[in-house]
Amino acid sequence: MLHRAKRLESIPPYLFMELRNKINRARAEGIDVISLAIGDPVEPTPAPIIEELCEAARRPENHRYPTDEEKGMAVLRQEVCRWYVQRYGAELDPEQECLILIGSKEGCHHFALAMVNPGDVVLVTDPGYPGYKPSIWFAGGEPYPVAMTAENGFLPDLKSIPADVRQRASAFYLNYPNNPTGAVATPEFLRTLVDFARENSIAICYDNPYIEIVFDGEKPLSLLSIEGAKDVAVELNSFSKPFNMTGWRLGMALGNRTAIAAMAQVKSNTDSGVFNAIQYAGTAALRECAPNIEEMLNIYGRRRELVVGTLNKLGWDYAPPKGTFYLWVPTPQGKSSLELADELFERAHVVVTPGSAYGQYGEGYIRFSLTVPDQRLEEAMERLSRALG
Ligand SMILES: Cc1ncc(COP(=O)(O)O)c(C=O)c1O
């Protein structure tokens, strides 16, 4: 007679596991489902990265526990810091301000264990990435949703957070370019955020895996390029999206030394780091694969136009956001996000994510992901036009 730990009772099954199960069930029945639900790039990882992995995997010294288990390999940390200063204008010390992660999702979890005490309030945006709340719950914290609305450009209104909540808050999770809304942050907003965090002694977990995925002349923006950010913030980043490496599980945490050391302490008691060969492959990505990012942006730009064009033809007045490979589309009046998502699934066998899955303020939206091959996206748009036209 085994009993699951009580802490799991408050933690719902992970949203995308449920969606995956639904898709798999339909496919097992022979239905040709097109999933626009999950942000998992389909293009292959660039060749130099794979070559470096293979070469490093052949060297027996890499078959042992990873070098510098706790922080990640020095060569990769140095490369990450070089990338950050050259690309985003943020200076970081590879020894004390950089930690290699098993993807940014891992960082979200370890940040909570490292920085949140039981009973602390932790601010999260609503709508927000579904990975944050479970990590906060695991640490015994209480998530407090801060609304993001179209009127505010999907940036949280920090003034709306009541004084007693600010006082009890020890951390704030947010991400721009934003999943799910696609909104980008402005330097002015980030400056206000840093001031807010300093005034209230709040540790910021700025989750930035989409930093490179911006359009319409927008430039990648790191919170760590803002003066004073290192006093209060850790930025998480990832190889998953810019280099089509979601399956490789490689990311990094950068910024505040106290938080980085605390996360390293959690990590050293939890895992033994990332396979050296994958870390070497990560250095190849940063050294050689910046041009692949341009290519990737062309692909998503083209798909973005296709979906927006289709929606406009269907009479939906919709202008795309400037970041990420997601489109956060208002549902036609009177339809809930779940109703529309179900309708698209039933009538077109196209899966989108209902906005309500991202929080109360996600109601009234559905999210499309552009991470399917062009042809499948064209087919999805044809089906959508037939079903809704
Ligand atoms: C906002 C956000 N954070 C973190 C992650 C996880 O990324 P990684 O593959 O680096 O763990 C995702 C993945 O979709 C995401 O959207």
Side-chain angles (χ1 to χ4, degrees):
M1 288 291 283
L2 299 184
H3 301 282
R4 288 151 56 95
K6 286 210 170 45
R7 76 172 68 82
L8 289 178
E9 282 165 13
S10 58
I11 295 172
Y14 194 57
L15 167 70
F16 293 108
M17 297 298 283
E18 297 228 303
L19 270 173
R20 262 191 203 116
N21 291 342
K22 179 173 166 175
I23 294 165
N24 289 343
R25 276 196 303 273
R27 285 188 178 146
E29 287 168 24
I31 298 171
D32 176 25
V33 176
I34 304 178
S35 172
L36 308 180
I38 295 165
D40 192 357
V42 282
E43 282 65 42
T45 303
I49 304 174
I50 298 175
E51 277 152 26
E52 184 65 36
L53 170 81
C54 296
E55 207 272 310
R58 284 194 198 97
R59 296 203 303 270
E61 72 266 24
N62 292 329
H63 300 169
R64 308 184 60 194
Y65 282 114
T67 316
D68 294 325
E69 275 181 33
E70 187 179 300
K71 288 197 276 192
M73 294 177 80
V75 61
L76 179 55
R77 281 183 279 118
Q78 281 153 10
E79 210 53 52
V80 164
C81 293
R82 184 195 59 79
W83 178 268
Y84 253 74
V85 72
Q86 286 182 357
R87 240 173 137 87
Y88 315 131
E91 296 229 22
L92 293 147
D93 171 17
E95 276 310 305
Q96 296 188 68
E97 296 172 346
C98 179
L99 180 70
I100 300 306
L101 301 171
I102 310 171
S104 55
K105 189 173 175 189
E106 189 220 3
C108 297
H109 191 71
H110 288 345
F111 179 87
L113 294 179
M115 303 303 287
V116 173
N117 283 311
D120 286 357
V121 165
V122 179
L123 307 171
V124 287
T125 58
D126 181 339
Y129 174 61
Y132 302 144
K133 279 191 191 166
S135 299
I136 296 163
W137 284 319
F138 275 124
E142 274 173 43
Y144 179 90
V146 186
M148 299 199 305
T149 59
E151 294 73 54
N152 283 337
F154 296 110
L155 296 170
D157 175 8
L158 304 177
K159 290 200 202 82
S160 73
I161 303 167
D164 61 317
V165 173
R166 291 171 192 217
Q167 255 162 25
R168 285 182 54 212
S170 61
F172 194 174
Y173 278 73
L174 65 179
N175 76 87
Y176 292 95
N178 181 252
N179 175 13
T181 66
V184 293
T186 58
E188 295 72 48
F189 170 73
L190 294 187
R191 277 194 280 275
T192 318
L193 178 69
V194 168
D195 290 344
F196 169 83
R198 290 168 82 124
E199 279 157 25
N200 296 286
S201 301
I202 289 175
I204 298 175
C205 181
Y206 196 73
D207 181 24
N208 208 350
Y210 300 96
I211 185 168
E212 291 288 341
I213 308 182
V214 285
F215 304 95
D216 304 335
E218 200 67 33
K219 297 271 176 285
L221 177 61
S222 164
L223 177 62
L224 299 173
S225 67
I226 302 295
E227 208 186 318
K230 272 202 271 183
D231 295 341
V232 286
V234 164
E235 178 159 305
L236 306 179
N237 204 330
S238 172
F239 289 75
S240 288
K241 320 282 170 166
F243 303 113
N244 303 328
M245 290 174 73
T246 47
W248 297 58
R249 312 310 306 131
L250 189 62
M252 55 275 205
L254 299 147
N256 182 271
R257 292 177 183 208
T258 305
I260 293 288
M263 289 172 75
Q265 190 178 347
V266 173
K267 269 187 77 61
S268 62
N269 285 290
T270 310
D271 63 74
S272 298
V274 177
F275 180 28
N276 274 2
I278 290 182
Q279 296 193 59
Y280 278 122
T283 62
L286 300 178
R287 278 187 196 144
E288 297 174 50
C289 297
N292 294 82
I293 294 178
E294 285 303 308
E295 243 172 75
M296 170 196 74
L297 289 176
N298 287 336
I299 293 173
Y300 294 133
R302 176 168 91 214
R303 292 181 190 157
R304 201 167 158 251
E305 274 172 27
L306 172 65
V307 176
V308 173
T310 307
L311 295 176
N312 288 345
K313 264 194 225 142
L314 285 168
W316 296 16
D317 182 16
Y318 172 69
K322 290 194 173 173
T324 76
F325 44 52
Y326 303 113
L327 296 175
W328 184 246
V329 181
T331 58
Q333 285 219 324
K335 238 178 225 173
S336 79
S337 57
L338 201 55
E339 275 166 355
L340 183 59
D342 281 346
E343 188 177 334
L344 289 176
F345 185 66
E346 297 303 328
R347 294 176 59 187
H349 300 148
V350 169
V351 184
V352 296
T353 331
S356 51
Y358 298 90
Q360 176 192 347
Y361 288 88
E363 182 50 87
Y365 292 88
I366 52 172
R367 194 195 73 171
F368 291 79
S369 169
L370 302 174
T371 54
V372 287
D374 288 17
Q375 262 188 331
R376 292 293 277 169
L377 190 64
E378 278 161 24
E379 161 83 25
M381 290 304 107
E382 276 164 27
R383 291 189 197 175
L384 200 115
S385 304
R386 279 199 299 274
L388 302 178

